């Protein structure tokens, strides 16, 4: 199968994709248990301590140790809307760190291995013409993990400036929604389950998921190379 051949050619990138998908699930469960048992201690954090917390999350989000949505919900619960500037700054820093980390992991190998595939090359060429919109949609969708998109966008060598600006625009609604969900929870033990039971919250999340998924499918359909493109 072609996909297995590509995986073998890009072992480092493929392994990293797998790790970035699994690590957040494992780590989030452990951290949740800590938050539940040490809630009173965390409630007494000073601004200085929270600054250190967000400096650490820059690294953990970049390396997929903690999902961005997870950190935003926690922020909403403990700090409320005051957490917005902290969250946005740490998000931008994590984006940049994730981008640089991905470049270090792949080092251009993935694209080099795709040079022989004309259809893929045309797809990437068309993608780069509209990469600003593509980045916004990728960040806006709840279905696309932050760290995995860092790796994929870096592998595709999107413009770093567009990566940060468009990524910030796309992630902003998700971040604000997550902080809002955190502010609505009264007990930390319900922090990651309450929003799943609330039909209003479910509707917001499902609507965002559907809209972004349709947008991504439409976007991909528009940039897929046609037979005429291949002939040219």
């Amino acid at each position: 199968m072609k996909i297995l051949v590509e995986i073998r050619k890009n072992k480092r990138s493929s392994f990293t994709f797998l790790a970035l998908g699994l690590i957040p699930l494992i780590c989030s469960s452990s951290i949740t248990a800590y938050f539940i048992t040490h809630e009173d201690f965390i409630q007494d954090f000073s601004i200085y301590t929270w600054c250190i917390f967000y400096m650490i999350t820059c690294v953990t989000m970049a390396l997929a140790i903690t999902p961005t949505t997870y950190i935003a919900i926690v922020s909403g619960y403990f700090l409320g809307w005051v957490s917005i500037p902290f969250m946005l700054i740490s998000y931008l820093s994590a984006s940049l760190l994730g981008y640089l980390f991905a470049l270090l992991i792949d080092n251009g190998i993935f694209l080099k291995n795709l040079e022989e595939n004309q259809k893929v090359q045309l797809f990437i060429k068309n993608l780069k013409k509209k990469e600003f919109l593509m980045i916004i949609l990728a960040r806006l969708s709840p279905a696309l993990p932050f760290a995995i998109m860092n790796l994929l966008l870096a592998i595709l060598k999107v413009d770093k400036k567009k990566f940060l600006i468009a990524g910030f625009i796309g992630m902003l609604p998700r971040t604000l929604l997550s902080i809002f969900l955190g502010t609505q929870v009264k007990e930390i033990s319900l922090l990651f389950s309450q929003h799943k039971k609330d039909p209003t919250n479910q509707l917001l999340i499902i609507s965002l998921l559907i809209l972004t998924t349709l947008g991504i499918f439409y976007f991909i359909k528009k940039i897929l190379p046609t037979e005429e493109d291949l002939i040219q």
Side-chain angles (χ1 to χ4, degrees), residues 147-162:
I148 289 180
M149 291 313 301
N150 281 343
L151 180 60
L152 181 59
L153 294 172
I155 284 176
L156 293 175
K157 292 187 175 181
V158 299
D159 181 78
K160 191 185 298 182
K161 186 176 180 181
K162 290 180 181 178

Side-chain angles (χ1 to χ4, degrees), residues 125-205:
K125 184 178 179 180
N126 292 338
L127 189 67
K128 286 185 174 295
K129 293 178 182 178
K130 300 180 180 179
E131 63 182 15
F132 194 87
L133 176 60
M134 182 264 293
I135 296 169
I136 291 177
L137 288 173
R139 289 305 198 200
L140 188 59
S141 176
L144 301 176
F146 172 78
I148 289 180
M149 291 313 301
N150 281 343
L151 180 60
L152 181 59
L153 294 172
I155 284 176
L156 293 175
K157 292 187 175 181
V158 299
D159 181 78
K160 191 185 298 182
K161 186 176 180 181
K162 290 180 181 178
F163 171 79
L164 292 173
I165 296 174
F168 180 82
I169 294 171
M171 197 69 180
L172 186 58
R174 282 177 59 182
T175 302
L176 295 178
L177 175 59
S178 298
I179 291 174
F180 168 73
L181 294 178
T183 63
Q184 299 305 296
V185 180
K186 303 301 180 183
E187 297 180 24
I188 194 169
S189 60
L190 301 175
L191 186 58
F192 303 100
S193 60
Q194 185 66 35
H195 68 279
K196 297 177 183 177
K197 300 176 183 178
D198 188 328
T200 303
N201 294 338
Q202 283 186 331
L203 183 60
L204 287 172
I205 295 171

Side-chain angles (χ1 to χ4, degrees), residues 119 122-123 126 219-226 229:
K119 192 170 184 178
L122 282 171
F123 176 79
N126 292 338
F219 178 81
I220 291 176
K221 185 179 179 181
K222 292 290 287 184
I223 64 175
L224 279 172
T226 62
D229 293 328

Side-chain angles (χ1 to χ4, degrees), residues 1-108:
M1 293 177 69
K2 289 185 178 181
I3 188 169
L4 293 178
V5 173
E6 294 301 329
I7 289 174
R8 291 192 190 99
K9 287 182 180 179
N10 303 278
K11 290 181 180 179
R12 284 199 301 177
S13 296
S14 299
F15 175 78
T16 304
F17 272 119
L18 179 62
L20 293 180
L22 294 177
I23 291 175
L25 298 176
I26 298 171
C27 293
S28 296
S29 300
S30 302
I31 297 171
T32 298
Y34 178 85
F35 283 143
I36 291 174
T37 55
H38 297 81
E39 179 179 2
D40 292 338
F41 172 70
I42 298 171
Q43 290 283 13
D44 291 332
F45 276 5
S46 64
I47 292 297
Y48 174 74
T49 306
W50 279 113
C51 286
I52 296 175
F53 170 81
Y54 283 107
M55 288 173 65
I56 295 172
T57 61
C58 290
V59 178
T60 61
M61 288 191 295
L63 300 181
I65 297 173
T66 53
T68 53
T69 301
Y70 182 94
I71 297 299
I73 293 175
V74 169
S75 298
Y77 178 81
F78 285 108
L79 293 178
W81 296 112
V82 175
S83 64
I84 291 177
F86 292 104
M87 193 65 219
L88 295 182
I89 292 172
S90 63
Y91 164 73
L92 277 174
S93 302
S95 294
L96 182 58
L97 284 175
Y99 184 91
L100 297 175
F101 170 71
L103 289 179
L104 181 65
I105 290 294
D106 182 70
N107 198 27

